[in-house]
Amino acid sequence: MYKYLKLPMIAATCLLLSAGCTKLDEETFGSLSPDTYYRNEEEALSSVVGVYQLLSYNVDIGDPWRMKEFSTDEFIVPGRASGGWYDQSNVDLTNHVQDVNNNTVARAWVNIFQEIGTANAVLESLESSPNKDNLKTLIAETRALRAYGYFFAMDNWGDVPLVTIAKLDPKNLPPSTSRADVYKFIETEMLAAVADMPSVKDVDRTAYYPRFTKEAIYTALAYMYLNAEVYTGTAQWQKVVDMCDLVINTGAYSLMPNVIDNFTSTQQAASKEIIAAFTKDPTKNAGNNQFILYTQNALDQKKYNLPFAPANGYSTTQAALDRYEDRDIRKSMIQHGPQFYLDGKPLTYPNGTQLVLVPVKDIVAAQDNEGYKVLKYTPVGAAFSGFNADNDLVLERYSNVLLMKAEALFRTSRPSDALLLVNQVRNRSNATPLNALTIQDIENERAREFLWEGCRRTDMIRFGSFFTGTWAFKTRQTESFRKIYPIPAAQLVANPNLSQNEGY
């Protein structure tokens, strides 16, 4: 059982949040200035957890995650014939026709820059503390969190305002900074931060979980380098290999025997595969996981003895399901076809009809049984407070390190070495080992392994399938300018110094 910390109020911070992603005695602090606050690491950490909580929206069900997933071949949320769920902004993202007035994109911008702004405020408070010399690790951690936020901003919008102060002068608002310069800022900040962060080898892993270690930042850098050619025009494949090797060579990480255990509430803290995560425990006011609520069919209330009826929203596609062999354990995470109770009995409606899940046929008015379900964050073993579960949200896993290195090796003419790494991941899930490797194999393996983990859009852009592929209701080729989202209209009004992305 873990103890969590409530986020205090900080005079310099513009956002007040209740959050928890560390395991400390629960306390509530008042509104204090840097002169009287941060007398010790525990007080300082109580502010940093709020930055973690905001960053988690990029892998949570928040708009930053939804915005990315809607434009891929693994995610769809149809309107229901019974009412609810229809949202034109989301349909436009699904069809790759979003514009500057897209509400989902607008909310995602606010969420991501809230995290960046909060990190700026916390950093200023940490660096103003008379005890700042004793807070080097937390200062580095917060710099890394801010850089991570900028990675998501750069990945989604390209040129974005680069701000490192807590309060802006309304008469001197920041202009857009080029994507290449934001990339360089992220790289510089992460490399500087990692010098003052502990390695996973130097901490009590259970007690330190889920805070960032050096290896979490090396993994983040590897993923940014993997996409460097998209971001800057210059590939950085060797840097990908170098960062991955820094993680691999610790010997601290390995694949869990069953991939699903990385998402099972009772198994996550002991996982040697999870590199970075966000702890959730709604029973302690320490965040929540609502994937079950938003995803599952209402009949799953009976199947899993849930304290609520799920809302039957988020679904996946036939294209995602078809990537898996029947023998691949990962396929079991997609609920499709006839549904059953855990004891094997048919899962039925009150009239005795069995629930049979089929692909979405109508994106505007789908029937109750349309849409396959991704049960990655399983309710089995989870603790619930109302409709909130305590499964931790996973940000980075060791399987990503292996597949990133494999891709970089393949792209630098080392296919045999790459094949060994890909087959490590496949063997863990009982997928048939590959005898040879193509770039399409690597893209498909990443899609299988990281279903709904928030990286499919970025991967599809890198591989090119984002533009040339068709699936479900996306039936046309995609213009190249849509590799980034439009700057929301409201942000252009609020800050005339921003520049709209080409094509919008």
Side-chain angles (χ1 to χ4, degrees):
M1 181 64 67
Y2 298 114
K3 297 181 180 178
Y4 293 80
L5 186 68
K6 287 183 180 179
L7 176 68
M9 294 185 292
I10 311 166
T13 307
C14 60
L15 298 169
L16 303 180
L17 308 162
S18 65
C21 19
T22 186
K23 304 171 287 297
L24 297 174
D25 292 333
E26 185 176 281
E27 294 185 71
T28 302
F29 296 95
S31 181
L32 301 170
S33 71
D35 291 337
T36 58
Y37 197 47
Y38 299 154
R39 292 163 296 187
N40 54 54
E41 185 178 13
E42 183 172 324
E43 289 183 354
L45 184 56
S46 68
S47 294
V48 178
V49 295
V51 189
Y52 272 105
Q53 185 77 351
L54 283 168
L55 186 67
S56 76
Y57 293 164
N58 290 280
V59 292
D60 200 349
I61 59 169
D63 285 298
W65 180 84
R66 283 191 286 246
M67 176 184 68
K68 292 186 296 183
E69 287 288 342
F70 268 118
S71 62
T72 73
D73 61 356
E74 68 177 19
F75 189 74
I76 187 170
V77 180
R80 293 293 172 182
S82 56
W85 282 113
Y86 183 79
D87 187 324
Q88 188 63 50
S89 290
N90 296 337
V91 172
D92 287 348
L93 286 164
T94 297
N95 292 326
H96 291 198
V97 294
Q98 69 277 356
D99 62 20
V100 300
N101 296 306
N102 189 282
N103 291 325
T104 306
V105 174
R107 292 191 299 266
W109 175 286
V110 171
N111 288 161
I112 289 173
F113 280 94
Q114 279 180 336
E115 189 269 345
I116 292 168
T118 302
N120 282 336
V122 171
L123 270 173
E124 285 194 5
S125 295
L126 289 168
E127 291 172 344
S128 297
S129 169
N131 297 309
K132 69 176 182 179
D133 288 344
N134 298 320
L135 302 174
K136 288 183 178 179
T137 298
L138 282 172
I139 290 171
E141 204 169 343
T142 309
R143 288 178 74 179
L145 285 162
R146 180 179 63 185
Y148 232 125
Y150 266 116
F151 168 77
F152 288 118
M154 175 200 66
D155 181 65
N156 287 317
W157 289 285
D159 299 355
V160 293
L162 185 57
V163 179
T164 57
I165 57 175
K167 294 182 179 180
L168 295 176
D169 179 355
K171 296 180 180 179
N172 186 29
L173 295 174
S176 299
T177 298
S178 73
R179 195 180 211 183
D181 286 342
V182 178
Y183 172 99
K184 187 63 179 177
F185 170 81
I186 297 165
E187 180 183 38
T188 300
E189 285 291 289
M190 285 191 171
L191 289 173
V194 80
D196 288 326
M197 296 175 70
S199 168
V200 68
K201 299 181 296 182
D202 300 326
V203 297
D204 180 326
R205 192 163 178 175
T206 301
Y208 204 76
Y209 172 89
R211 291 173 61 185
F212 284 173
T213 59
K214 290 181 186 294
E215 290 72 28
I217 306 310
Y218 294 146
T219 305
L221 281 166
Y223 195 54
M224 189 171 75
Y225 291 143
L226 193 69
N227 296 284
E229 192 167 14
V230 173
Y231 300 146
T232 70
T234 303
Q236 297 288 356
W237 306 121
Q238 187 56 48
K239 286 187 177 181
V240 176
V241 174
D242 293 343
M243 290 298 110
C244 290
D245 282 345
L246 286 171
V247 179
I248 293 168
N249 292 341
T250 64
Y253 297 100
S254 58
L255 298 177
M256 289 285 279
N258 188 333
V259 64
I260 298 171
D261 286 345
N262 291 298
F263 307 92
T264 303
S265 174
T266 55
Q267 301 290 325
Q268 290 177 301
S271 171
K272 290 189 175 181
E273 183 171 344
I274 294 176
I275 296 173
F278 304 101
T279 52
K280 302 293 175 182
D281 191 338
T283 67
K284 296 180 173 62
N285 193 31
N288 56 68
N289 187 318
Q290 295 183 342
F291 272 92
I292 305 301
L293 168 67
Y294 277 76
T295 300
Q296 300 307 115
N297 189 281
L299 286 182
D300 276 355
Q301 179 176 20
K302 296 192 298 181
K303 179 176 181 177
Y304 296 104
N305 193 29
L306 300 172
F308 61 92
N312 195 24
Y314 298 170
S315 304
T316 195
T317 64
Q318 188 70 44
L321 179 68
D322 287 346
R323 273 192 282 264
Y324 297 94
E325 301 173 89
D326 288 341
R327 61 181 283 176
D328 192 326
I329 291 169
R330 295 169 297 190
K331 189 173 185 177
S332 68
M333 290 188 286
I334 301 181
Q335 293 180 322
H336 61 286
Q339 296 300 292
F340 301 87
Y341 283 96
L342 296 178
D343 64 4
K345 296 178 181 178
L347 181 63
T348 61
Y349 292 101
N351 66 4
T353 302
Q354 185 176 12
L355 173 62
V356 179
L357 297 178
V358 300
V360 174
K361 300 175 182 177
D362 189 338
I363 197 171
V364 175
Q367 297 301 310
D368 176 74
N369 67 324
E370 290 181 34
Y372 300 148
K373 302 302 181 182
V374 175
L375 197 67
K376 205 154 202 177
Y377 290 104
T378 173
V380 176
F384 284 88
S385 177
F387 45 69
N388 301 310
D390 69 342
N391 308 66
D392 294 346
L393 295 167
V394 176
L395 178 63
E396 300 286 3
R397 293 194 284 126
Y398 186 61
S399 59
N400 194 23
V401 173
L402 297 178
L403 291 181
M404 286 192 293
K405 182 177 179 181
E407 182 178 341
L409 290 173
F410 184 88
R411 290 183 184 271
T412 51
S413 302
R414 289 173 278 182
S416 58
D417 292 335
L419 179 62
L420 293 173
L421 295 172
V422 171
N423 276 336
Q424 277 190 51
V425 176
R426 290 181 61 78
N427 291 341
R428 182 264 296 275
S429 292
N430 197 42
T432 303
L434 299 175
N435 295 319
L437 199 61
T438 67
I439 197 66
Q440 186 65 60
D441 291 330
I442 294 174
E443 179 182 2
N444 288 342
E445 198 59 38
R446 290 190 61 82
R448 296 181 193 103
E449 182 68 14
F450 305 117
L451 180 68
W452 281 23
E453 292 185 53
C455 57
R456 179 62 177 149
R457 176 180 177 272
T458 303
D459 288 350
M460 292 183 80
I461 290 170
R462 185 174 71 258
F463 287 105
S465 56
F466 185 82
F467 309 102
T468 60
T470 58
W471 55 86
F473 297 90
K474 191 263 191 181
T475 58
R476 65 182 191 87
Q477 301 286 290
T478 298
E479 304 93 336
S480 62
F481 72 83
R482 294 191 185 278
K483 65 180 177 291
I484 49 179
Y485 289 118
I487 306 299
Q491 299 302 325
L492 295 173
V493 172
N495 180 3
N497 293 330
L498 297 179
S499 301
Q500 184 54 273
N501 289 323
E502 182 180 355
Y504 295 105

